Structures are given as C-alpha cells and as structure tokens.
Amino acid sequence: EIAPERMRPLCIDDMISQDHALVDLVDGALLVFERTDKSTTENNAHLYYTTKYNAMQIEALQNPEGFGTPLNEQFDPILGEISQTWTMGQLMQWIATGIGCSADHILLWKVSQYNEKPTNNHLNEHELRVYSVKDLLGLSGPHRHDPRRQKRYRVYYTKMPISVSDLERRYKMRVQMMDEKMQITETTVFPEKTGTVQSILDEAQREFRFSANGTKLLRLVYVGQASHCLRAYHVFTNDTLASEIYTKIGNTSYAIRVEEIPEDEVTIKSGEHLLPVGHFDKDPTRMFGIPFFIKVTNGETLESVSERIRKKLDVTAKEFEKYKFAIIVNNRVSKYLDKDNVVNLNELSHTHITGYASAPWLGLDHMNKSRGTRGSHTTEKAIVIHN
C-alpha cells in the first residue's frame, strides 16, 4: 500500500503453510486475486498497482531565474500525469511537446526538496542519462512519493537556443545589449569554446532589437559596471578568441555589451578616433548612467562634438547647458574643457602605449538625478513627538 516494493506476488509453493494458512503477512495487508488465464506480462495486477503508485500529477514551469537574465519567451505551465520512473529523455519530450519545440532544447533544473523551487544547478550530461523523475525531485527517504497525498509536483525547465548536449562544449556568458535609445537589457549566450567574438555576436543577434534604419552590424564592447569604472573601455575585434572574453568577464566589475554600430562609426579612418564617454557627479570615481563611444575627428571643436553627444543622449539644450566636459585620466580630471577646445588625437589616442584601462576618456560632469537633490536632508523639519 505504501510502495511498490511492498507488493509481493503470493506463490503457493512457498507462501502457504502445510495447514493452508497464509504466512508472511503484515497487519493491514490487502490480498488481490487475479485469474491466471487473464494475466500477461504486459497486463497483470502487480504491474497495475506499480504503475498506479508511480503515477504523479506534475506541473512543468519555466525557471525564471535560470541564468540570471529575463526569459525571452514565456509559456503557460504544462499540467499532466507522468511516472516517477520516467527517464529525463521522456520528461524532456513531454515538456517539448507541450511548448512545441525539440526535446534536446529542454534544460532541466534540480529542485529543492524543502521549498520545491529550482536550485542554481541544472542537470549535466551524465545526470541526463541516468536520472529518473524520482531522482530529479529527490523523492527518497522522508520525501518519498506517496500517491495518497494527491500532491502536484513541480519541475523546472529552460528552453535553450542550442542543444542541451552541446552545453559542456560551450561557454555561458551573460551579455548586456544596448539599443538605439541606449536602453540596456541582458541575455545569456552560449558561444563555442573554440569560437571568437563573432560567435558571441551571432548568438546575441537572435535576441537583439535592431533599429529600423540601422546598419544591422553589431560590435562587442568591454564596459565597467561598478560606480568607480562605469565607462566604455574597448571595442573587441571580431577575431578575438571567446576564451579571452570569458576570462575578462570573470571580474564582476566588468561586462561585455553588444550594440549596433552607428552609421558614422562603421569605418574609423585616419585622423578619427572612437572616444569613450562617461557620466560622473563632481568626482570621476562617482560614475553613473550608460557609458558609450562617440567618433571624433582631429581638430574639430568641442562645440561640434558636444552637439552630437546631446542628440545621442536626447537631452534638451537648456538641460545640456549644465553639463561640464573634462578629460579624465586614471580616474582623475586632467582638465576641464570649453567650447573652443579642439580635439587633439595625440592627447586622446595613446591606448596602444598605456592600455585601454588608463586611456583618456571624455567625462560629462553633471548631477546624478537618480541620487536625489544633494543636501535636501538639511531642509527637512524635525519630527516632534508629543506625549
């Protein structure tokens, strides 16, 4: 009654004593008789009760926290009855049929026995081969399946853009994507370990929102994402190895960003330079906002450059008057600029000597409105409590 292993077929020769009394029975046991002429290996009482016991109600849900990035597609929960003896292949096929995709694109996540939520670990290639649903849900010991509880179990999956069997041959990379309005979203890509930056861009292209009249060309940018380094550092060449990129994003202060190349930046000619631009609030180590690149030409005025920046940021002329411009070197203001200053590439483009981490960048010094009005607390009135 509790588990299939407690169900035993009674064999007359060794289960009935000389006085014809049944032995080896426990209190509360049930005796089921079946006709031998109706019983087959495919259809018999023991098989029926075993199947009945192993059957369970299940709900298959997408793992919302899968790789730490938002779901690109959302599906309704899949409800149904399966067996705890099912293999992972059978479960993957059942889920795939429910959402209309190939079974080898279903990634299964291990489930916590205590809160029935997905853990941070998905099944690896070996576990996919040897696990049953019982193993996936941890149904052993005090957590064993009991059909009398009529419980609906949950399994969690992710629909993958690649075959699950390829996962161990690929990197898992979290990537920022910036659209034409400088809005940032995140996704996870899975380039081959032997691939290049082009492999990363090809993976990201499936999710990227291109502008209507854009170039449809992508580039990969190395950016900071902590307040002391929130700037664009470098555009990787498309033949840079994926292994090199994977090493660089091991530090959580830095990330990679995919963006569409603007029309005027597709080609950088002699006398031109991609200048990193970032926002800071008085102190260059207090950076904020979205860093970006702007193409500048040797000898052009700051007034010309600043107007292109204003349009890129979509800021009103009145608001932009509050911005101050500074050349930043090693997180310090080298000098503030006025509109009559001209671009000097000798001053800006010595990255090949110093490395891009210490290369000069253009800082936009203005108030970080997301921090609120500084000093506003001084005008707040004290709260008086009257007894």
Side-chain angles (χ1 to χ4, degrees):
E1 185 183 9
I2 298 175
E5 54 264 31
R6 299 292 298 275
M7 292 187 290
R8 297 178 56 185
L10 299 180
C11 177
I12 292 177
D13 292 337
D14 61 6
M15 295 302 294
I16 297 184
S17 63
Q18 291 181 353
D19 60 356
H20 302 287
L22 291 172
V23 296
D24 198 26
L25 293 177
V26 295
D27 186 32
L30 300 175
L31 293 178
V32 178
F33 295 88
E34 67 176 337
R35 289 174 52 175
T36 55
D37 61 323
K38 297 288 187 180
S39 176
T40 66
T41 54
E42 295 83 19
N43 184 19
N44 57 70
H46 187 266
L47 181 62
Y48 169 80
Y49 282 108
T50 301
T51 303
K52 199 75 173 172
Y53 169 79
N54 286 322
M56 56 170 55
Q57 293 298 314
I58 204 82
E59 181 179 21
L61 301 164
Q62 286 176 283
N63 183 359
E65 304 296 332
F67 294 104
T69 53
L71 296 171
N72 298 316
E73 296 179 272
Q74 296 196 1
F75 302 101
D76 292 331
I78 306 168
L79 305 176
E81 182 179 283
I82 67 171
S83 171
Q84 69 168 343
T85 62
W86 270 17
T87 65
M88 294 299 91
Q90 288 174 294
L91 179 59
M92 290 160 66
Q93 184 60 62
W94 180 74
I95 294 172
T97 301
I99 64 173
C101 76
S102 174
D104 64 351
H105 283 234
I106 299 297
L107 182 68
L108 296 170
W109 296 83
K110 295 179 181 178
V111 180
S112 169
Q113 298 173 344
Y114 303 100
N115 57 17
E116 294 189 346
K117 292 184 178 179
T119 66
N120 294 326
N121 301 313
H122 58 74
L123 297 190
N124 60 37
E125 205 166 349
H126 172 71
E127 290 165 336
L128 284 173
R129 288 196 303 268
V130 302
Y131 266 31
S132 65
V133 171
K134 179 180 178 180
D135 301 316
L136 176 67
L137 297 176
L139 300 178
S140 59
H143 302 285
R144 71 191 306 168
H145 170 56
D146 186 341
R148 295 171 299 185
R149 294 169 57 196
Q150 297 184 335
K151 176 181 177 179
R152 186 184 297 279
Y153 296 90
R154 287 180 172 178
V155 295
Y156 292 87
Y157 71 93
T158 296
K159 181 189 174 188
M160 299 292 290
I162 60 169
S163 173
V164 172
S165 59
D166 282 346
L167 263 181
E168 296 189 10
R169 293 186 291 273
R170 293 173 178 257
Y171 288 121
K172 179 178 67 178
M173 293 185 182
R174 194 166 174 170
V175 176
Q176 295 180 3
M177 296 193 294
M178 186 175 80
D179 63 18
E180 61 176 331
K181 297 185 182 298
M182 299 182 72
Q183 298 294 315
I184 300 290
T185 56
E186 287 192 330
T187 190
T188 303
V189 297
F190 304 89
E192 293 185 358
K193 291 182 178 179
T194 57
T196 62
V197 162
Q198 187 61 56
S199 310
I200 299 172
L201 296 177
D202 290 343
E203 291 286 317
Q205 186 168 341
R206 290 195 285 251
E207 311 294 339
F208 194 85
R209 297 195 302 267
F210 287 98
S211 57
N213 300 311
T215 61
K216 304 296 186 289
L217 299 173
L218 297 177
R219 66 187 178 196
L220 190 69
V221 178
Y222 190 49
V223 295
Q225 53 182 3
S227 61
H228 68 280
C229 62
L230 196 58
R231 50 164 289 206
Y233 285 92
H234 178 64
V235 176
F236 293 106
T237 59
N238 286 6
D239 59 357
T240 304
L241 294 177
S243 56
E244 181 181 335
I245 306 299
Y246 187 74
T247 302
K248 286 185 178 296
I249 58 176
N251 186 330
T252 55
S253 294
Y254 302 93
I256 50 176
R257 186 175 77 197
V258 174
E259 57 190 42
E260 187 172 10
I261 306 175
E263 183 74 45
D264 67 329
E265 296 178 11
V266 171
T267 304
I268 306 298
K269 301 175 183 176
S270 175
E272 297 176 337
H273 176 63
L274 269 187
L275 179 63
V277 183
H279 305 262
F280 71 97
D281 190 347
K282 291 192 173 181
D283 181 352
T285 62
R286 291 168 53 189
M287 303 176 71
F288 64 95
I290 307 298
F292 58 95
F293 283 104
I294 195 85
K295 187 173 82 169
V296 295
T297 304
N298 197 34
E300 74 171 314
T301 63
L302 176 64
E303 185 174 15
S304 171
V305 175
S306 65
E307 180 59 19
R308 293 205 306 279
I309 291 175
R310 186 188 71 79
K311 290 179 179 178
K312 191 177 185 76
L313 296 176
D314 194 21
V315 176
T316 64
K318 183 176 181 180
E319 179 66 23
F320 202 60
E321 289 176 358
K322 302 174 185 177
Y323 286 43
K324 292 187 288 185
F325 297 82
I327 297 296
I328 311 297
V329 180
N330 291 324
N331 278 353
R332 294 178 180 174
V333 175
S334 173
K335 65 177 179 179
Y336 278 95
L337 307 173
D338 57 46
K339 291 186 178 181
D340 294 329
N341 281 108
V342 296
V343 174
N344 180 358
L345 290 190
N346 290 329
E347 180 183 27
L348 298 176
S349 59
H350 51 259
T351 307
H352 61 287
I353 301 173
T354 63
Y356 49 74
S358 57
W361 54 279
L362 180 63
L364 307 181
D365 182 359
H366 61 107
M367 182 184 294
N368 180 4
K369 292 185 177 180
S370 64
R371 292 166 58 92
T373 304
R374 288 167 293 180
S376 60
H377 62 279
T378 59
T379 62
E380 294 175 358
K381 295 182 179 179
I383 299 174
V384 180
I385 301 176
H386 299 279
N387 292 326

